[in-house]
Amino acid sequence: MNFLRKHQKKLLAIFASFLMIVFILPNALRPSPQSRNTLMGHLGDEKIYAENIRASQLEWDALKHVLIQGNNPQERWVPIVQVMFSPQTLEQFEEHPAMFYLLEREAKKIGAQPNEQAMQELLQTAATPSGDGRLLPIEQADNADLLRQAIVDLLTVQGSFNQQRDLVKLSEPVRQYELATQGQQISTDLVEFKSSDFANRVQNPTTQQLQEQFTKYADKEPASTTSASDPFGFGYRYPDRVKLQYLSVSRDEVKKYVKAKKDDYLWQVDAQRYYLEHQSQFQTTPATQASTTRPTSQASTGPSTRAVASTQPTTKPFAEVRDEAMRAVLDPQVDELQTDIINRIRSRMTQDWMAYHTAVGSTTAPTTATASAASKPAPMTAYGVPFDSYEYLQKLAADIQKQTGVLPTVASIADTFKDDKQLEALAGIGQSLQENIPFSMYATRLAEPFMNGQKSDRSIAIWQPSQVLRDMRENDYVFRLTAVDPSHKPASLDEVKAAVEADWKKAQAYELAKAQAKQVMESAAKSNLSNAAIGAGKMITTTGPFANRPTVEIPNYEVDPSAKANFLEQAFNLLTLANQKNPHPTSLIELPAAGKVLVAQLEDVKPAWRNDDMMAMAGDIFSQQIAHELEIEIYNHWFNYNELATRVGYHEENPKKNETASASVQ
C-alpha cells in the first residue's frame, strides 16, 4: 500500500478533516495586476507588497487543482487541500490572501522540512485537470514546475505543524484525570428552575438600565456560543447584510413543458423502446433455486436436492421499471432545456452587466444606499429599461419564455437588509449552492463591498449576476446584489430597543430563577433535596447513568444541544465535591443561554466498564482520544489567521473590521 493511502487516516486526524467537507471554497484571492504594488502589511519592519505574496497565491490557487484519490479506487478524486485543511481554515485562506505566504515564511524560518516520502508519492500519484477535462499526472501538466513547487511548500507548511504538534506530549496526570472523568457514569437528581417562569415578576427597565444594556453589547454581534463575560450571548451589532434580486428556473416547470410536447402514450412508447434497448440496466439479482442430483447411495429412494445460485440473470418486467425507464428518457431532455434556459439568462445578464459596468463603473465601496444611486446614469438595455431595475428582470424573464417556452420566476428581497442566517432561511434559494458554496456565504462573504479590495474568482459586485446556483430539488438560480449594509453597531438605542429590553428582562428573570435555586440548595443542606424541592413546589427528576461525552443522551432529562457541553462539565464537577462524609454533594448547574438553573445532586457513580480488561481497553481509547483532541487544539491555534499573524509579527495595512471566524473544528 502506498504511503499516502497507508497514512491517510493519520493525515485526516492531524488536519481535522474527519469532518466531511461540505463546500469547496473559491480559488485563492489574487491581487489584480494593477494592485501588485499595493502595500498589504508589515512583517516586523519589512513592508509586504501584493507582489511579494503573488507567488504564494499562485501556488495556493494551483494546489486547489491538485487531486488525490481516496483509499477506495472507486472514490472520486478530491483536492488535496480539502484533505489537509478544515472548511473553517479554507475559509480563512479565502479571506486573507497573505495566509499561505505567512505560513511558508514561518515554516522556512523554523527550518521545517517536507516529508520526502510523502512528497515523492504525491508527485507520482496526484493528478490535475487539463484544459479538455482529462486528468493528467503532475509532471505532464503545462504548469508542472508551479505544481511541483506548490506541493513542496505545502508539505513544508505541514512539517512546521508537525514540529509544533510533536512538542506536546500527553502527561500521565492528565491521562489519569481524563480516564477518571470519561470512564465513569453518573446519575443525578435535578430540580429545574426556568427563567421564563419568573418573567412576570420582572419590572420594566428604566431608561438608564436600557442604555447600560445597550452600551455594553452595542458593538458585539449576537454570539452562537457564550463566554464568561457574556453568558447569554447578547449582542446588537448588525452583521454584513444585503438586499438582492434573483431569477429562478423551476425543474418541475421545465419538466412539465417538456412532457407536454408529447402525449402520455408516446412517452410510454419511448420508455418501452429504451427498456428494450438497455436491458442490462434492469437486471435482477440472480436467484437461488433448487437443483436436482442423482441419489447418493443405493438406500436412497428418490432424488436429493440442494440450493444453487442461478447463473442466468433475469430482466425485470417493464411494469416494474416503467417509472425508471420513463425518467431515463425524460431527464436528459429536461436537463438540456434547463441548462439552455439558465445559460441564456446568465449570458444576457452578463452582457448587460458589462455594458452597465463600463458606463457607470463599479459600486464596491460599502454603502447602505441602493446601488442604483450611481454618479452616472445607467444606460438603457434592449428591453427599454435600465439594467439596475427590477423591471429589467421581469422583461428578461418574459423574453426567456418567448425563446424557450418556460417562464423563470423573478423575486426581490428588498424589504429589509438580510444577514447570512436570514438568507439561509429563505425558501428555495436559501438552500441553494454554487459548487457547494452556500448561497448565504456567496451573497455576503464574497460580496466585493465587504472584501476590502480583495478579489476572488467568485466575488460579486453590486448588480453583477452571480454564477448559477442549484438547490436540492434541482432548481437553478442567478442572483444579483442591489444594496449592501456593512457590519456596524446601531446608531442609537432606539433602533434595537425591543431586543435590548427583551434581553434585559431575560437576564433579570434568570437572576430570580438562580436566587430561588440557591434557596432550595441551602434548604437541602439542612434537610434533604426531596424536602427542599417539595417546599418550593418543585419535582425532582432523577436521570439515568450518563457519561461525560458530547454525544451522550441524558436519560430522563432533555438538554438543549447548545447547552449540553456546559451541562456535562458542571454535572461531572460534582465528582470533585464528593467524599466519604458527603457522597452525594449538591451544586448549581447554570445554563443562562438556555434560561435554566438546576439544583443538581450526585445520586450514583458507576464505572463505564464491567471488568479490568475493559478498563484497560478504555484507557487506551481515551488516551488516543485525548491525544487527538490535543492535536485538534494545536491545529486550531496553528492555522488561525489572527494567531499566525501574531506569531510572525504581521500587521495588515487595512485589516477587516470584522474579526475573522475561528478555524476551530466543530
Side-chain angles (χ1 to χ4, degrees), residues 86-97:
S86 72
Q88 293 84 357
T89 302
L90 291 174
E91 187 176 315
Q92 293 198 77
F93 277 112
E94 173 70 17
E95 293 181 355
H96 297 283

Side-chain angles (χ1 to χ4, degrees), residues 230-344:
D230 184 11
F232 294 94
F234 293 151
Y236 310 114
R237 183 182 179 88
Y238 297 118
D240 291 335
R241 300 180 299 168
V242 300
K243 293 181 179 180
L244 55 87
Q245 300 168 351
Y246 67 86
L247 282 162
S248 64
V249 179
S250 166
R251 175 80 173 185
D252 288 342
E253 290 300 313
V254 176
K255 184 178 294 186
K256 187 186 301 182
Y257 178 80
V258 171
K259 203 168 183 181
K261 291 181 178 181
K262 292 187 291 191
D263 60 33
D264 290 344
Y265 173 76
L266 291 178
W267 280 114
Q268 181 154 323
V269 170
D270 289 346
Q272 287 181 317
R273 182 183 298 113
Y274 183 91
Y275 168 78
L276 294 172
E277 293 175 354
H278 300 83
Q279 298 264 310
S280 61
Q281 295 182 18
F282 306 104
Q283 299 298 301
T284 60
T285 303
T288 299
Q289 54 184 272
S291 174
T292 303
T293 62
R294 292 180 175 275
T296 56
S297 69
Q298 291 182 352
S300 300
T301 58
S304 63
T305 62
R306 61 185 177 88
V308 297
S310 170
T311 58
Q312 300 297 323
T314 59
T315 302
K316 297 177 183 178
F318 177 73
E320 183 179 336
V321 297
R322 177 182 176 278
D323 291 343
E324 185 179 348
M326 185 68 75
R327 286 194 298 271
V329 171
L330 184 61
D331 283 354
Q333 297 183 47
V334 175
D335 290 339
E336 182 179 3
L337 179 57
Q338 186 171 350
T339 300
D340 179 55
I341 293 171
I342 201 68
N343 285 344
R344 287 172 184 266

Side-chain angles (χ1 to χ4, degrees), residues 204-214 493 497 500:
N204 289 327
T206 65
T207 301
Q208 181 179 351
Q209 288 170 328
L210 284 179
Q211 187 62 49
E212 289 174 353
Q213 173 84 6
F214 172 73
L493 168 63
K497 186 175 181 179
V500 173

Side-chain angles (χ1 to χ4, degrees), residues 83-136:
V83 175
M84 298 183 70
F85 297 105
S86 72
Q88 293 84 357
T89 302
L90 291 174
E91 187 176 315
Q92 293 198 77
F93 277 112
E94 173 70 17
E95 293 181 355
H96 297 283
M99 187 164 175
F100 192 57
Y101 170 77
L102 295 178
L103 286 169
E104 287 184 66
R105 288 282 298 260
E106 178 183 53
K108 292 173 182 176
K109 183 176 181 180
I110 65 177
Q113 296 293 325
N115 182 294
E116 184 68 26
Q117 188 176 359
M119 181 174 65
Q120 294 303 323
E121 184 74 27
L122 271 177
L123 292 174
Q124 293 173 14
T125 62
T128 189
S130 64
D132 58 7
R134 293 179 298 116
L135 287 181
L136 296 176

Side-chain angles (χ1 to χ4, degrees), residues 360-399:
V360 176
S362 62
T363 308
T364 58
T367 175
T368 57
T370 55
S372 59
S375 58
K376 299 178 183 179
M380 287 292 175
T381 62
Y383 299 125
V385 295
F387 175 73
D388 56 359
S389 66
Y390 184 64
E391 191 178 4
Y392 166 81
L393 293 187
Q394 293 175 314
K395 289 185 175 293
L396 172 59
D399 186 29

Side-chain angles (χ1 to χ4, degrees), residues 160-178:
S160 68
F161 166 75
N162 291 345
Q163 285 186 19
Q164 180 68 19
R165 180 204 60 198
D166 293 343
L167 292 175
V168 180
K169 302 297 182 182
L170 178 62
S171 67
E172 186 59 24
V174 170
R175 179 182 180 278
Q176 291 297 331
Y177 172 80
E178 292 293 338

Side-chain angles (χ1 to χ4, degrees), residues 607-622:
W609 41 79
R610 295 187 298 271
N611 52 53
D612 291 343
D613 289 340
M614 291 185 66
M615 181 175 179
M617 183 182 301
D620 292 339
I621 293 173
F622 286 140

